[in-house]
């Protein structure tokens, strides 16, 4: 079909070439005009002959030129001028011919030659005087839209008449693209968006695309892949194609080219706006005045500001229902249809991201050996998600597959109950908020936010891993101290990347040591205070918008801004474990198979009132000492390891448990323990070491 389109365009241009030859015969001497006129007629005859219906079939009923004429409402004369300006692009001999006739030596027809041709009229174009042509070349839709371009700086009639960049190639049916328009591929429609298309806002946008009225349809999405998939779904529902390009929204020349090339293809122009650089002054207004009909704009939030010239229709991306997510997984992985419900629950990704992950899964499976870890029947979706997201993570951020389960946690009943309620809240969001309509009735927000507070080593990070495991999600671990930057705007940029990765992967978002970022806002006494408070406000907004499970940990609750406390759904206090809990931790961290009979876990738990992190470290250290001695773990190994833990924290060691201390050990241990716990003692043994340094939010330095 593209060949028939090209031949049909050449045949239409041939008629104009014959009129130019006739003009040369009448205006030039036989010696000067004979050769150019003969060449024009020979080329025209060849073009007409090739365009006659043959084995390739009849010419198409609607050509790209017809689409261009309809979209911009071009008259007969303007259409002839488009063909006239495109003649030099048809053959190198035609370009040389026009160069010889141009006053400036340009290989394009001049306005003066176009005026002479218009005065004579023709079969298609009626005669027009120079005044009418002048108005047309200043005010006509072809010039206003950028289809026709006047180049040169001389007198008006000596200027050259050219076409928009790559337009003639596009009229031939070629996939030509101007250099000013960076290619953006929206991709084919993805399954799983039927429910979103049926929403009132989406249905209104589809009707706007069909109406062809000039509007700006703004699809705002933080993830460009998601935004592009929504634009594709809207155009597909309207029965239209898309011509997408990435450009600055306030560049009128680029938007004019976008509209022209979309018109040639009979498509909707889609402007993809890149994310603004940090510190951008203000959002840009789309220069859509030269684009006929609707203009789709895909932009991150805050990158585009609606202008006053055109009505704006905002199309929210919105959530995708459970049924559509299952449909997306079933279509993306047809080889595993029975796993679609489980995948939709464990990885509730947007359908556009589901298609990307499925592509990676099939690629990994094709490269894996038969019977290998990736070559079985169960697709490694989690691995593919982690691999794709890991390439975009900023420093200090890890995406891991959690393994810990509930039995690993030793908590007080209240803390344990709150964690289980948080998992249940995440699991039943769709039922309570959507089906029971509490989102509208009670203004309930999506997402679950937890603040875990308590001394170091009490299991806060482990609890986050357990939550991710029980929720069936990956765990995105963010070190708050790593993200803080002394450069203005960099902290927000780093955190934005973390939130986007968590939203893309639907991972549990763990912000460790949150007080480095979420500290109490201060009075503004210098510039650094103002920027620190701006970071706090930004984080509050991102937490409110995050619809997954966000976990913040801190050792010092009093350092957390009260505004964050109010936004938390759960505030879970991790206290030091009781004796029974410590006994259970010794059993968890030290398997009985590697213990010597003299190990007394009950005595260790009674003698050392320490957090679980100390118990874990002591068990690991003792195990390595025992392995070096080629024997099982003995009580003395554990006591020595615990002595080192106390030494690391700068705490007085309570002594050995009574069962291993020999005569009088019980009294010595009791006296040492009482002295360590006395009110006037330097460091109570029951309270583990707090962080010796804090981060000053104004100077970004550590201070004692």
């Amino acid at each position: 079909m593209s060949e028939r389109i090209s031949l049909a365009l050449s045949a239409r241009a041939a008629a104009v070439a014959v009129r130019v030859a006739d003009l040369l015969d009448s205006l030039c001497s036989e010696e000067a005009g004979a050769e150019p006129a003969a060449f024009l007629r020979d080329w025209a005859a060849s073009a007409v002959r090739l365009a006659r219906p043959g084995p390739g079939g009849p010419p198409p009923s609607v050509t790209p030129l017809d689409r261009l004429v309809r979209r911009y409402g071009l008259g007969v004369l303007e259409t002839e001028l488009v063909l006239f300006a495109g003649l030099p692009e048809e053959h190198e001999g035609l370009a040389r011919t026009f160069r010889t006739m141009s006053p400036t030596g340009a290989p394009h027809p001049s306005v003066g030659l176009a005026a002479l041709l218009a005065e004579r009229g023709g079969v298609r174009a009626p005669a027009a005087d120079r005044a009418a042509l002048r108005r047309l070349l200043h005010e006509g839709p072809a010039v206003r839209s950028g289809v026709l371009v006047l180049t040169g700086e001389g007198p008006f009639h000596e200027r050259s008449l050219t076409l928009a960049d790559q337009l003639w190639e596009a009229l031939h049916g070629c996939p030509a693209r101007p250099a000013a328009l960076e290619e953006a591929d929206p991709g084919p429609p993805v399954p799983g968006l039927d429910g979103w298309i049926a929403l009132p806002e989406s249905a209104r946008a589809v009707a706007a695309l069909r109406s062809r009225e000039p509007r700006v349809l703004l699809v705002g999405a933080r993830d460009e892949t998601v935004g592009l998939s929504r634009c594709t779904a809207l155009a597909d529902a309207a029965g239209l194609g898309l011509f997408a390009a990435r450009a600055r929204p306030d560049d009128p020349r680029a938007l004019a080219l976008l509209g022209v090339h979309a018109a040639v293809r009979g498509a909707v122009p889609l402007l993809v706006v890149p994310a603004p650089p940090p510190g951008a002054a203000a959002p840009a207004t789309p220069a859509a005045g030269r684009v006929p009909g609707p203009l789709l704009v895909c932009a991150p939030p805050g990158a585009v500001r609606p202008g006053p010239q055109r009505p704006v229709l905002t199309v929210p991306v919105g959530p995708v229902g459970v049924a559509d997510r299952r449909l997306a997984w079933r279509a993306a992985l047809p080889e595993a249809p029975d796993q679609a419900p489980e995948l939709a629950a464990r990885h509730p990704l947007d359908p556009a991201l589901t298609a990307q992950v499925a592509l990676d899964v099939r690629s990994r499976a094709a490269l894996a050996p038969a019977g290998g870890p990736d070559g079985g029947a169960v697709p490694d979706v989690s691995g593919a998600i982690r691999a794709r997201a890991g390439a975009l993570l900023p420093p200090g951020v890890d995406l891991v597959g959690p393994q810990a389960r509930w039995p690993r946690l030793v908590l007080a009943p209240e803390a344990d109950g709150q964690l289980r309620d948080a998992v249940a809240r995440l699991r039943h969001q769709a039922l309570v908020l959507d089906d029971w309509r509490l989102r509208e009735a009670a203004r309930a927000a999506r997402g679950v936010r937890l603040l875990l507070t308590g001394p170091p080593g009490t299991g806060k990070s482990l609890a986050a891993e357990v939550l991710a495991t029980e929720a069936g999600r990956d765990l995105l671990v963010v070190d708050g101290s790593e993200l803080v930057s002394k450069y203005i705007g960099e902290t927000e940029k780093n955190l934005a990347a973390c939130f986007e990765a968590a939203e893309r992967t639907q991972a549990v978002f763990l912000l460790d040591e949150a007080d480095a970022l979420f500290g109490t806002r201060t009075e503004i006494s210098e510039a650094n205070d103002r920027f620190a408070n701006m970071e706090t406000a930004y984080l509050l907004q991102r937490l409110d918008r995050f619809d997954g499970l966000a976990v913040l940990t801190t050792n010092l609750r009093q350092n957390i801004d009260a505004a964050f406390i109010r936004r938390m759904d759960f505030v879970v206090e991790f206290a030091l474990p009781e004796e029974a809990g410590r006994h259970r931790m010794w059993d968890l961290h030290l398997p009985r198979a590697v213990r010597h009979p003299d190990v007394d876990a009950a005595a260790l738990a009674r003698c050392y009132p320490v957090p679980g992190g100390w118990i874990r470290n002591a068990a690991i250290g003792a195990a390595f000492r025992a392995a070096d001695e080629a024997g099982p773990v003995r009580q003395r190994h554990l006591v020595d390891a615990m002595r080192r833990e106390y030494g690391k924290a700068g705490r007085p060691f309570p002594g050995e448990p009574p069962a291993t201390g020999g005569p009088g050990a019980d009294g010595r241990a009791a006296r040492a323990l009482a002295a360590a716990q006395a009110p006037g003692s330097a460091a109570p043994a029951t309270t583990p070491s707090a962080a010796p340094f804090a981060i000053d939010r104004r100077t970004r330095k550590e201070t004692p």
Side-chain angles (χ1 to χ4, degrees):
M1 178 60 75
S2 61
E3 183 179 359
R4 302 304 304 172
I5 290 173
S6 180
L7 294 175
L9 178 66
S10 297
R12 293 186 66 172
V16 179
V18 171
R19 291 174 54 204
V20 175
D22 294 341
L23 181 64
L24 292 177
D25 287 341
S26 64
L27 296 179
C28 300
S29 63
E30 184 176 349
E31 180 179 343
E35 184 177 350
F39 177 79
L40 286 167
R41 287 194 174 91
D42 289 343
W43 174 83
S46 174
V48 171
R49 184 173 62 254
L50 290 173
R52 289 172 183 161
S61 57
V62 179
T63 66
L65 180 59
D66 296 329
R67 299 192 191 104
L68 184 72
V69 169
R70 291 178 188 172
R71 182 73 63 89
Y72 287 96
L74 303 184
V76 177
L77 180 56
E78 284 183 298
T79 305
E80 295 292 301
L81 289 174
V82 169
L83 294 169
F84 183 48
L87 280 175
E89 305 286 346
E90 280 292 302
H91 193 278
E92 64 275 11
L94 294 175
R96 284 196 299 269
T97 299
F98 283 106
R99 191 187 297 274
T100 61
M101 292 186 289
S102 172
T104 61
H108 300 285
S110 66
V111 174
L113 186 60
L116 292 172
L117 199 64
E119 288 174 343
R120 292 177 173 266
V123 177
R124 290 179 178 269
D129 57 26
R130 288 176 178 263
L133 182 67
R134 185 186 293 270
R135 286 194 302 272
L136 198 64
L137 293 181
H138 279 94
E139 304 173 2
V143 173
R144 288 202 314 269
S145 62
V147 173
L148 284 173
V149 181
L150 272 65
T151 60
E153 298 180 355
F156 178 69
H157 287 90
E158 290 189 358
R159 296 178 188 176
S160 298
L161 198 61
T162 63
L163 295 177
D165 187 18
Q166 296 296 313
L167 174 57
W168 192 254
E169 297 302 315
L171 291 174
H172 271 282
C174 300
R177 178 179 291 270
L181 298 180
E182 181 185 346
E183 184 174 4
D185 183 13
V190 297
L193 293 177
D194 294 345
W196 179 78
I197 284 292
L199 294 176
E201 296 87 352
S202 304
R204 194 177 297 115
V206 172
L209 292 177
R210 289 174 178 159
S211 72
R212 313 306 302 171
E213 293 293 327
R215 290 186 179 88
V216 174
L217 283 73
L218 180 58
V219 179
R222 289 187 293 273
D223 191 310
E224 184 178 289
T225 302
V226 174
L228 289 177
S229 73
R230 296 299 200 274
C231 294
T232 302
L234 293 173
D236 183 66
L240 300 167
L242 287 175
F243 180 75
R246 190 173 283 104
R248 285 180 31 236
D250 54 352
D251 185 350
R253 178 174 174 271
L255 263 67
L257 284 171
L258 176 64
V260 168
H261 280 267
V264 168
R265 293 161 173 82
V268 175
L270 169 57
L271 173 65
V272 182
V273 180
T285 301
R290 299 165 73 182
V291 180
L295 170 66
L296 259 177
V297 178
C298 176
V304 171
R305 177 177 56 194
Q309 295 84 7
R310 288 194 174 197
V312 175
L313 185 63
T314 301
V315 189
V317 171
V320 176
V322 175
D324 281 340
R325 287 202 300 266
R326 291 177 180 175
L327 175 63
W329 278 113
R330 195 172 292 113
L333 293 174
E335 63 272 20
D338 296 337
Q339 297 182 36
E342 179 183 353
L343 290 172
R346 181 176 176 82
H347 305 289
L349 304 178
D350 187 88
L353 304 179
T354 298
Q356 287 186 343
V357 171
L359 186 67
D360 294 346
V361 168
R362 283 193 291 271
S363 175
R364 290 159 64 107
L367 297 174
D374 293 331
V378 179
D380 184 16
V381 173
S382 297
I385 291 175
R386 284 193 292 272
R388 183 175 281 269
L392 303 174
L393 295 179
V397 181
D398 292 313
L399 185 64
V400 298
Q403 301 293 331
R405 307 302 296 253
W406 284 120
R408 299 294 302 177
L409 273 180
V410 180
L411 297 174
E414 173 62 22
D416 183 80
Q418 289 197 68
L419 295 181
R420 293 179 184 272
D421 287 346
V423 174
R425 184 164 181 164
L426 184 68
R427 186 181 298 120
H428 300 303
Q429 271 195 121
L431 173 65
V432 174
L433 299 182
D434 299 331
D435 297 348
W436 292 0
R437 304 181 66 83
L438 259 72
R439 180 164 187 171
E440 295 84 5
R443 299 175 63 97
R446 293 187 180 275
V448 184
R449 287 154 285 273
L450 295 92
L451 177 65
L452 311 184
T453 71
T458 49
K460 300 184 294 296
S461 299
L462 176 63
E465 184 179 353
V466 171
L467 288 172
T469 305
E470 296 301 324
R473 310 283 180 90
D474 287 333
L475 181 65
L476 189 77
V477 184
V478 181
D479 186 347
S481 60
E482 287 285 332
L483 296 184
V484 175
S485 174
K486 64 181 180 181
Y487 297 106
I488 296 172
E490 283 298 309
T491 301
E492 293 93 327
K493 180 181 176 182
N494 293 339
L495 267 159
C498 296
F499 275 107
E500 287 166 7
E503 289 164 349
R504 174 181 283 266
T505 60
Q506 289 295 306
V508 172
F509 182 87
L510 169 60
L511 181 57
D512 217 357
E513 302 202 19
D515 42 318
L517 284 162
F518 292 75
T520 305
R521 283 175 283 191
T522 61
E523 302 247 344
I524 297 176
S525 59
E526 55 182 89
N528 284 338
D529 291 335
R530 181 163 58 89
F531 290 117
N533 290 345
M534 288 170 58
E535 293 171 4
T536 302
Y538 172 80
L539 294 171
L540 284 169
Q541 295 172 4
R542 288 310 301 259
L543 265 181
D544 286 340
R545 295 202 306 262
F546 185 61
D547 61 0
L549 177 57
V551 181
L552 285 65
T553 72
T554 178
N555 300 331
L556 303 170
R557 175 175 174 175
Q558 64 271 22
N559 285 1
I560 298 294
D561 193 298
F564 287 103
I565 300 293
R566 288 195 302 271
R567 282 168 167 80
M568 294 297 111
D569 299 304
F570 300 92
V571 177
V572 186
E573 184 70 33
F574 281 67
L576 289 172
E578 300 291 339
E579 181 179 329
R582 297 194 296 271
H583 190 177
R584 184 180 166 194
M585 289 180 188
W586 281 111
D587 289 337
L588 282 173
H589 293 302
L590 193 63
R592 293 185 180 275
V594 301
R595 298 185 195 177
H596 189 275
D598 71 350
V599 172
D600 188 350
L604 293 170
R606 186 167 52 254
C607 186
Y608 303 124
V610 296
W614 290 30
I615 295 174
R616 172 185 173 274
N617 292 343
I620 294 173
F624 277 104
R625 283 285 301 276
D628 189 54
E629 297 177 5
V633 179
R634 302 181 66 96
Q635 186 84 337
R636 59 182 174 81
H637 296 143
L638 295 169
V639 172
D640 288 343
M642 187 55 68
R643 180 183 289 109
R644 293 179 179 178
E645 291 300 311
Y646 273 91
K648 287 191 300 184
R651 305 287 183 179
F653 182 57
E656 300 180 1
T660 60
D666 192 7
R668 289 196 304 271
R671 285 193 298 273
L673 183 60
Q677 295 175 338
S681 61
T686 56
T687 304
S689 171
F693 295 97
I695 294 180
D696 190 314
R697 290 174 51 78
R698 294 179 298 172
T699 63
R700 301 300 190 197
K701 295 180 180 178
E702 291 182 342
T703 57

